C-alpha cells in the first residue's frame, strides 16, 4: 500500500498563478458568425474586474432598462480580462455611443437577427501567465504541456462552480434531502447544479484512480482490489490512453455528436486515443441515460435523484492551439490554449502545476 500511495501522490511544480486581469485573459468564441443585419445590436465588450452580470447591470443602469433585455452566451470570470459578445435591441445604439466606463470598453458592434442566448458559444481562448518560473520549472511545464497536447485533460468542473466558500454542493444535497428550503428558484437550481457537479467530479476522480492503478500494476496484482474481472483489467492495461475505458461506458463523438454505448472496447479505446470520441460522465437527474455493465457498477455510486434534469458531460477534453512563451528575464511562462464551452482553464493550470 505504501508503494501505491507514493504512486498516487503528485509532485507539485512550485510556480505562482494569480487569477487577475494582467495574468488571466479570456476571449469568447461565438457559436456562429453574426449576420450583420437584424433588430439586435451585438456588442463585443472587454471587461476587467467585473463578472458578466456586473457589466450587464452597469450597462442596464446607463440605458435605464432591465438587465433582462441583454443576451449573453456565457458567464465570464470576474478576476480576469475578458472579451465577450452581448446583445441588446438596436434602439439603444445611439445612446450607447457615448457610454464610457473604466472597466468596460465596447470594442466593436454589429447586428444579428436574434438575441444571444446562453450556450451560444463554441468555446474560449485563454492567455495565462505563470510567474516565478525558473529553468527547472520551465522544463517541467513544457513536459506537462506535451502530455496535455498528446492526451488531453480530465474535464473536471472548476472551483468556481462551487461558490466562494466551495460548499454550494452541500446546500444542494441538503435541499435534495429535505433538510434545507430555498424559495428562490435560481439559487435552488444553482445549489443543486453544484451538487450534480460534485458527484460528477467524484466519479471522474474514481475512474482516474482506477486508470492509474491499472497503469502502475500488473493485472494479477490488482484486479480483485478493483473488483473487476481479470480479463477486463488485462484489456484495459493495453489501452494507449491513460484514462481507461470500461465495458458499458457511454461515449460521445468529439467535439460534438451522438452519445452511444461502447461495443468494441479495443476499437473505441483506439478512437478515443485518436480524439475521435470521448467517454462521458453522469450529471445525475431526470431524463438522462446511464451507462451499463461494469461502467455502471462504478457510476451508480455517484447517481442520485436530484429533481433537476440530468445530462451526460464529456469526461475528457482536448485543449487546442496550445502554445507557450518563456520570458527568461522575468521568469514568466505565458501559455495560450483553446477549450470547448463548459470546460475550465483553471483545470488546465491544475493539470500543469500538479
Amino acid at each position: 500500500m505504501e508503494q501505491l500511495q507514493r504512486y498516487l501522490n503528485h509532485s507539485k511544480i512550485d510556480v505562482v498563478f494569480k487569477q487577475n486581469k494582467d495574468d488571466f485573459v479570456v476571449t469568447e468564441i461565438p457559436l456562429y458568425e453574426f449576420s450583420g443585419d437584424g433588430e439586435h445590436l451585438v456588442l463585443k465588450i472587454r471587461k476587467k474586474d467585473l463578472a458578466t452580470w456586473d457589466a450587464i447591470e452597469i450597462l442596464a443602469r446607463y440605458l435605464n432598462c432591465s438587465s433582462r433585455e441583454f443576451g449573453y452566451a456565457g458567464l465570464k470570470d470576474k478576476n480576469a480580462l475578458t472579451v465577450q459578445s452581448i446583445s441588446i435591441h438596436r434602439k439603444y445604439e445611439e445612446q450607447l455611443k457615448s457610454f464610457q466606463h473604466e472597466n468596460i470598453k465596447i470594442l466593436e458592434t454589429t447586428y444579428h437577427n436574434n438575441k444571444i442566448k446562453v450556450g451560444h458559444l463554441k468555446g474560449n481562448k485563454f492567455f495565462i501567465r505563470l510567474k516565478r518560473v525558473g529553468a527547472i520549472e520551465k522544463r517541467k511545464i513544457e513536459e506537462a504541456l506535451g502530455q496535455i497536447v498528446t492526451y488531453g485533460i480530465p474535464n473536471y468542473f472548476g472551483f468556481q462552480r462551487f461558490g466562494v466558500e466551495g460548499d454550494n454542493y452541500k446546500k444542494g444535497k441538503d435541499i435534495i434531502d429535505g433538510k434545507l428550503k430555498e424559495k428562490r428558484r435560481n439559487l435552488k437550481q444553482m445549489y443543486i447544479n453544484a451538487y450534480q457537479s460534485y458527484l460528477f467530479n467524484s466519479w471522474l476522480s474514481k475512474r482516474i484512480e482506477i486508470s492509474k492503478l491499472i497503469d502502475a500494476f500488473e493485472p494479477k496484482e490488482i484486479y480483485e482490489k478493483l473488483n473487476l474481472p481479470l480479463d477486463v483489467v488485462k484489456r484495459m492495461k493495453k489501452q494507449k490512453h491513460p484514462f481507461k475505458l470500461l465495458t458499458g461506458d457511454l461515449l460521445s463523438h468529439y467535439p460534438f455528436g451522438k452519445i452511444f454505448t461502447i461495443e468494441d472496447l479495443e476499437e473505441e479505446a483506439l478512437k478515443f486515443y485518436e480524439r475521435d470520441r470521448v467517454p462521458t460522465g453522469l450529471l445525475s437527474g431526470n431524463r438522462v441515460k446511464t451507462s451499463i455493465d461494469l461502467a455502471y457498477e462504478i457510476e451508480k455510486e455517484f447517481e442520485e435523484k436530484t429533481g433537476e434534469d440530468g445530462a451526460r458531460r464529456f469526461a475528457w477534453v482536448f485543449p487546442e492551439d496550445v502554445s507557450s512563451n518563456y520570458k527568461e528575464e522575468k521568469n514568466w511562462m505565458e501559455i495560450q490554449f483553446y477549450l470547448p464551452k463548459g470546460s475550465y482553464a483553471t483545470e488546465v493550470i491544475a493539470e500543469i502545476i500538479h
Side-chain angles (χ1 to χ4, degrees):
M1 284 305 291
E2 283 182 19
Q3 181 189 358
L4 166 60
Q5 200 54 50
R6 280 200 299 273
Y7 178 77
L8 291 175
N9 284 338
H10 300 289
S11 60
K12 185 179 177 183
I13 300 174
D14 190 19
V15 298
V16 173
F17 169 60
K18 291 186 177 176
Q19 197 172 326
N20 59 47
K21 66 184 187 316
D22 298 315
D23 300 329
F24 190 44
V25 181
V26 186
T27 304
E28 182 181 87
I29 308 300
L31 184 61
Y32 43 74
E33 281 189 30
F34 300 114
S35 63
D37 191 28
E39 64 183 64
H40 295 272
L41 180 69
V42 176
L43 312 172
K44 187 177 185 180
I45 64 168
R46 184 176 66 217
K47 63 175 186 62
K48 59 184 178 182
D49 300 328
L50 292 170
T52 299
W53 266 113
D54 297 333
I56 285 174
E57 284 174 2
I58 288 165
L59 284 159
R61 280 198 301 271
Y62 176 79
L63 296 174
N64 195 27
C65 70
S66 168
S67 57
R68 289 193 296 272
E69 291 193 48
F70 284 89
Y72 62 93
L75 298 174
K76 297 287 172 282
D77 295 78
K78 177 179 180 178
N79 301 316
L81 183 72
T82 69
V83 177
Q84 72 180 120
S85 296
I86 60 175
S87 66
I88 186 79
H89 196 277
R90 67 186 296 170
K91 68 184 178 183
Y92 295 109
E93 182 173 14
E94 198 61 37
Q95 202 176 340
L96 281 165
K97 285 179 180 176
S98 55
F99 173 79
Q100 287 187 320
H101 191 279
E102 61 180 355
N103 289 16
I104 305 170
K105 184 173 177 61
I106 298 173
L107 301 175
E108 58 186 62
T109 61
T110 185
Y111 308 103
H112 196 57
N113 38 18
N114 62 263
K115 184 178 182 178
I116 298 175
K117 294 181 180 177
V118 173
H120 284 196
L121 75 159
K122 184 181 177 188
N124 298 286
K125 287 182 179 176
F126 296 93
F127 166 91
I128 283 166
R129 182 181 289 127
L130 303 176
K131 295 181 176 176
R132 285 196 225 156
V133 180
I136 293 171
E137 290 79 15
K138 170 185 179 288
R139 179 176 54 77
K140 287 182 178 179
I141 289 168
E142 287 172 344
E143 285 176 6
L145 287 173
Q147 292 289 305
I148 287 169
V149 168
T150 303
Y151 298 115
I153 64 165
N155 195 27
Y156 285 114
F157 284 99
F159 64 86
Q160 305 95 315
R161 185 78 167 181
F162 302 104
V164 177
E165 302 297 324
D167 63 352
N168 280 358
Y169 74 94
K170 293 179 182 176
K171 294 175 184 174
K173 178 162 176 52
D174 285 347
I175 289 169
I176 292 165
D177 292 344
K179 296 176 183 176
L180 178 68
K181 299 288 183 189
E182 178 53 70
K183 291 180 181 177
R184 291 166 290 185
R185 171 65 189 158
N186 59 334
L187 277 183
K188 179 182 176 184
Q189 185 169 1
M190 182 178 76
Y191 294 146
I192 293 175
N193 289 163
Y195 185 54
Q196 290 173 309
S197 304
Y198 167 79
L199 291 170
F200 173 90
N201 279 6
S202 301
W203 165 84
L204 185 52
S205 291
K206 176 79 171 180
R207 286 292 299 267
I208 288 171
E209 181 186 338
I210 289 169
S211 297
K212 285 180 175 176
L213 290 170
I214 285 171
D215 264 342
F217 296 93
E218 288 306 311
K220 284 184 179 179
E221 294 179 277
I222 54 160
Y223 79 97
E224 287 182 341
K225 175 179 171 52
L226 297 178
N227 197 26
L228 291 170
L230 179 59
D231 67 307
V232 172
V233 174
K234 285 179 178 178
R235 292 166 73 194
M236 293 168 78
K237 180 85 175 175
K238 291 178 182 176
Q239 294 176 23
K240 287 185 176 182
H241 199 281
F243 186 90
K244 307 304 180 186
L245 300 187
L246 263 171
T247 55
D249 264 328
L250 281 175
L251 306 185
S252 171
H253 293 282
Y254 188 86
F256 45 79
K258 287 185 177 179
I259 288 174
F260 59 95
T261 305
I262 201 167
E263 289 184 2
D264 187 318
L265 191 63
E266 282 71 23
E267 183 183 340
E268 299 299 350
L270 181 60
K271 288 181 179 178
F272 171 37
Y273 178 73
E274 293 170 347
R275 304 173 175 227
D276 183 67
R277 57 208 52 194
V278 292
T280 67
L282 177 69
L283 291 175
S284 282
N286 305 327
R287 295 185 297 209
V288 61
K289 194 174 181 181
T290 58
S291 59
I292 60 170
D293 199 18
L294 293 173
Y296 183 66
E297 288 304 306
I298 296 167
E299 184 174 283
K300 70 182 181 183
E301 295 175 39
F302 308 95
E303 181 184 21
E304 289 205 31
K305 291 185 170 71
T306 62
E308 296 287 329
D309 281 347
R312 302 296 305 187
R313 173 179 169 86
F314 289 162
W316 212 264
V317 290
F318 300 101
E320 297 173 28
D321 304 327
V322 179
S323 65
S324 63
N325 178 32
Y326 184 56
K327 298 202 167 175
E328 189 175 0
E329 70 283 1
K330 293 185 175 178
N331 282 359
W332 288 355
M333 178 71 94
E334 296 176 343
I335 300 167
Q336 298 190 61
F337 53 91
Y338 163 85
L339 285 175
K341 69 176 181 181
S343 299
Y344 291 78
T346 46
E347 291 307 306
V348 177
I349 296 304
E351 198 69 14
I352 292 167
I353 290 175
H354 292 282

